[in-house]
Amino acid sequence: FEVDPSNSIEELNESNNILTLDLFIDGIPDLEPVLISKKRTKENPNSVFFKYKIKNNGNIFVENFDYDMDFGDGTGQGGFVAEKINPGEYYSFNINKVYNSSGVYNVTLEVDSFDAIIELNESNNIVETSIYIPCDLSGNSTGIKRCDVQRIW
């Protein structure tokens, strides 16, 4: 902390305007993503609604963390969350994804993907799940979408 940094006040002693303080913060956060649910909508079986929570298993709060999501189809989503999560608490968020082709997709969510936060456990930052998409919306010569009505999860 510095008082009068531009020396606009004439003082007897100009060398005592800076205070340096070392702080010790006792504790380490630990972010862990948890998949709460994944649901397809009846209106569009290719639309998936993911619900996640990011839990802080550590012993000190954490704030300002990033996430990266891979939808398994070559697309993804990422971002920065400017929220404070106290120990034992969590932050919830939802993501919706519409898939264009039928198939099985492996979906991954990673928090603190840049390893910017020192954590108690760095190995629990990823959660994975698989989803089955029944319809191919990419189109064909008839313009009719093809759906596999036999497989529903």
Side-chain angles (χ1 to χ4, degrees), residues 39-48 97-99 132-135 137 145 147 152-153:
K39 294 180 183 177
R40 290 195 329 240
T41 63
K42 290 181 182 179
E43 299 81 21
N44 181 355
N46 285 32
S47 180
V48 183
K97 167 66 177 169
V98 177
Y99 288 87
Y132 174 70
I133 301 299
C135 297
L137 301 180
K145 59 182 174 179
C147 293
I152 302 292
W153 57 265

Side-chain angles (χ1 to χ4, degrees), residues 29 31 62-66 112 114-119 122:
L31 293 175
V62 65
E63 58 187 341
N64 304 333
F65 60 92
D66 69 280
D112 190 27
F114 295 113
D115 289 327
I117 300 169
I118 298 171
E119 300 179 67
E122 294 286 352

Side-chain angles (χ1 to χ4, degrees), residues 38 48 50 71 99 103-107 129-133 153:
K38 58 182 178 181
V48 183
F50 297 96
F71 293 112
Y99 288 87
V104 177
Y105 296 93
N106 296 315
V107 180
T129 189
S130 294
I131 56 166
Y132 174 70
I133 301 299
W153 57 265

Side-chain angles (χ1 to χ4, degrees), residues 30-34 53-57 111 119 124-126:
D30 183 26
L31 293 175
E32 179 184 13
V34 178
K53 73 177 182 179
I54 311 301
K55 186 173 181 191
N56 181 1
N57 296 321
V111 293
E119 300 179 67
N124 65 349
N125 289 359
I126 297 175

Side-chain angles (χ1 to χ4, degrees), residues 5 12 15 18 20 25 35 39 43 61 68 77-78 90 94 109 114 124-125:
L12 182 62
S15 65
I18 298 176
T20 304
I25 299 174
L35 175 65
K39 294 180 183 177
E43 299 81 21
F61 73 91
D68 187 32
Q77 177 177 326
Y90 60 89
N94 305 315
L109 173 67
F114 295 113
N124 65 349
N125 289 359

Side-chain angles (χ1 to χ4, degrees), residues 1-5 14-23:
F1 182 74
E2 185 173 357
V3 178
D4 189 27
E14 294 286 351
S15 65
N16 64 356
N17 290 352
I18 298 176
L19 170 68
T20 304
L21 183 63
D22 292 324
L23 299 174

